[in-house]
Amino acid sequence: MTSIRALPESSDVGGERRGFALASVIFGITIMSIIAVVVVSTAADERSASRASRESTLALYVAEAGLRQTFGNWPSAAAAALKPGDSLDLGWQALPNKADYRTVIHRVDAGGLQEYSVVVQGRRTDPVAGIITIVGAAGGVPIFANGVRTDGDLYLSNGGVFDSFDSGNGPYSLTNVDTTANLFANGNINITGTTVKGSAAATATITLGTGAVVTGGSTASAAALPAMDINACPVSGYTATAKVPTGPGITYSSTTGVVNVGSNATLTLTDTSYFFRVIVLGNNAKLILPGVPHVSIILRDSINAGAGTVINQSMNAANVAFSSCGTSPTPAYWAMSSNGTASYFTVYAPNHVVYELGAGDFYGAVVAQIYYASGGGRYHYDAALARLPSNKIAVQRGSWAQLPGS
């Protein structure tokens, strides 16, 4: 009789493998879940980074737009009131498409020709955008960059000398004379019997007659320079009568704005600012200006000082300025002279004919519509005048830069 034996339970291999398969499935699901989470997280990070990059780029465009807007709508009066080291915060300004910018203007010069650093922050309203900061620069355009500058023709026939020096390095002397007495004319230049220690450039022709010497060379058919601005006249009217002392040979009316200084008479003006229509100096008459503080004389029509002398007691041309304003109803000629006593001042009359007369010494610079020099005088251009503050501001090319983020 055959017997039947049962297998031992320990030989149930399938039971043991059932526990291993469950662990493998759980492990696999865990790995796949981690991978899915990483993929989703990476996609979200890339999406956020792309959005942040887009918003930051737009913020840069906003800052650029703000810089251009600031340059195009320059706050002339507020910027002119800044002292070296001062800042002007124009605040946040809104732009379309949920953006705004903030401009801060810093004056960074030492007190002469203006230099401004213009810092603009641009931002979008999106919280991931951040702020982009860029900087540009603007500066004053020198008014007296040349010894003589005209918007028409320029004539030298005085038989004298045009040279230059820099009063910032000391008073004029044989040891600091240089050759930067440059001439520029938006027209023709004619020189006879005169030595010019500098260059001559004209948009039309240059004619060098007998005895003419231009040490720096001459350039005809030069590129034209923009016409000089004609300043507006003060709205307050002519200077009050009380500010102009009268006496023997001296008359003035604030109604007409005409100052007359008769032969051998002397008028001393001690205020800092004057507005007249006409000044006339008679034979040997003197107009005395202390020059400290700075004196500004604005003329509606003309000055005729050919027979007299303008005396700047400070002996610094930067301290006395004659300038024109408005458009004269009749052709108004300006006659300046150095008779016996050296003259120190600047002349800004871009819409007038200016005559330089006399055989003495003139220290300064001239801007005129047409300029004539005769009489054999000696003209000394003060190069320091090119560093005087200017009423004309221009953007400095190549000054754009993006500041690094914090």
Side-chain angles (χ1 to χ4, degrees), residues 307-390:
T309 303
V310 176
I311 300 174
N312 172 6
Q313 293 179 320
S314 74
M315 299 178 68
N316 186 338
N319 291 343
V320 173
F322 290 91
S323 60
S324 65
C325 71
T327 302
S328 178
T330 58
Y333 300 94
W334 288 35
M336 315 300 292
S337 180
S338 52
N339 294 316
T341 302
S343 298
Y344 300 80
F345 51 79
T346 62
V347 174
Y348 182 82
N351 55 338
H352 294 281
V353 179
V354 176
Y355 290 87
E356 185 67 35
L357 309 171
D361 290 271
F362 170 74
Y363 299 82
V366 173
V367 171
Q369 174 61 34
I370 299 174
Y371 178 79
Y372 293 89
S374 61
R378 294 168 295 277
Y379 186 114
H380 312 295
Y381 166 59
D382 185 354
L385 299 173
R387 301 191 294 271
L388 288 178
S390 173

Side-chain angles (χ1 to χ4, degrees), residues 11 114 141 155 196 214:
S11 65
Q114 305 97 311
V141 178
Y155 301 88
V196 177
V214 180

Side-chain angles (χ1 to χ4, degrees), residues 18-54:
R18 281 196 297 272
F20 175 79
L22 179 60
S24 298
V25 170
I26 292 173
F27 179 76
I29 292 174
T30 301
I31 295 299
M32 292 178 66
S33 298
I34 293 174
I35 293 174
V37 170
V38 170
V39 170
V40 172
S41 177
T42 300
D45 289 344
E46 289 180 351
R47 187 163 56 250
S48 297
S50 176
R51 182 179 179 184
S53 177
R54 175 179 177 275

Side-chain angles (χ1 to χ4, degrees), residues 26-394:
I26 292 173
F27 179 76
I29 292 174
T30 301
I31 295 299
M32 292 178 66
S33 298
I34 293 174
I35 293 174
V37 170
V38 170
V39 170
V40 172
S41 177
T42 300
D45 289 344
E46 289 180 351
R47 187 163 56 250
S48 297
S50 176
R51 182 179 179 184
S53 177
R54 175 179 177 275
E55 292 294 329
S56 296
T57 301
L58 291 175
L60 175 61
Y61 293 158
V62 170
E64 284 187 323
L67 182 63
R68 296 176 186 274
Q69 183 81 355
T70 302
F71 285 148
N73 296 275
W74 185 255
S76 300
L82 294 176
K83 296 179 180 179
D86 286 352
S87 299
L88 174 64
D89 189 342
L90 300 180
W92 287 99
Q93 307 291 324
L95 287 177
N97 197 23
K98 298 180 181 180
D100 51 15
Y101 70 92
R102 175 193 180 199
T103 301
V104 180
I105 300 173
H106 306 272
R107 184 168 176 180
V108 295
D109 61 272
L113 190 65
Q114 305 97 311
E115 290 290 339
Y116 300 101
S117 175
V118 184
V119 180
V120 181
Q121 295 174 302
R123 69 182 181 188
R124 293 260 293 167
T125 55
D126 192 290
V128 302
I131 295 177
I132 298 296
T133 304
I134 63 175
V135 62
V141 178
I143 298 174
F144 300 109
N146 297 280
V148 179
R149 152 73 193 273
T150 66
D151 281 333
D153 296 337
L154 191 159
Y155 301 88
L156 304 183
S157 58
N158 66 343
V161 173
F162 274 62
D163 63 15
S164 60
F165 74 111
D166 191 325
S167 61
N169 299 325
Y172 179 88
S173 69
L174 295 179
T175 60
N176 66 354
V177 173
D178 57 36
T179 56
T180 59
N182 301 329
L183 311 175
F184 184 90
N186 275 332
N188 302 295
I189 291 180
N190 291 270
I191 304 175
T192 302
T194 304
T195 297
V196 177
K197 294 185 177 181
S199 63
T203 60
T205 64
I206 296 180
T207 302
L208 302 180
T210 304
V213 177
V214 180
T215 62
S218 57
T219 304
S221 302
L225 294 179
M228 300 297 283
D229 294 335
I230 299 175
N231 297 329
C233 290
V235 297
S236 57
Y238 297 122
T239 296
T241 302
K243 293 178 64 175
V244 181
T246 57
I250 301 173
T251 61
Y252 172 66
S253 168
S254 60
T255 302
T256 63
V258 177
V259 179
N260 273 294
V261 184
S263 298
N264 300 307
T266 298
L267 171 62
T268 301
L269 298 178
T270 58
D271 212 329
T272 60
S273 179
Y274 297 90
F275 174 35
F276 303 126
R277 185 169 71 86
V278 174
I279 295 177
V280 178
L281 301 185
N283 188 42
N284 294 321
K286 294 181 177 62
L287 174 61
I288 298 179
L289 306 164
V292 179
H294 178 273
V295 181
S296 172
I297 298 180
I298 302 172
L299 296 166
R300 175 72 173 76
D301 287 347
S302 64
I303 177 171
N304 185 354
T309 303
V310 176
I311 300 174
N312 172 6
Q313 293 179 320
S314 74
M315 299 178 68
N316 186 338
N319 291 343
V320 173
F322 290 91
S323 60
S324 65
C325 71
T327 302
S328 178
T330 58
Y333 300 94
W334 288 35
M336 315 300 292
S337 180
S338 52
N339 294 316
T341 302
S343 298
Y344 300 80
F345 51 79
T346 62
V347 174
Y348 182 82
N351 55 338
H352 294 281
V353 179
V354 176
Y355 290 87
E356 185 67 35
L357 309 171
D361 290 271
F362 170 74
Y363 299 82
V366 173
V367 171
Q369 174 61 34
I370 299 174
Y371 178 79
Y372 293 89
S374 61
R378 294 168 295 277
Y379 186 114
H380 312 295
Y381 166 59
D382 185 354
L385 299 173
R387 301 191 294 271
L388 288 178
S390 173
N391 59 358
K392 192 170 187 178
I393 306 298

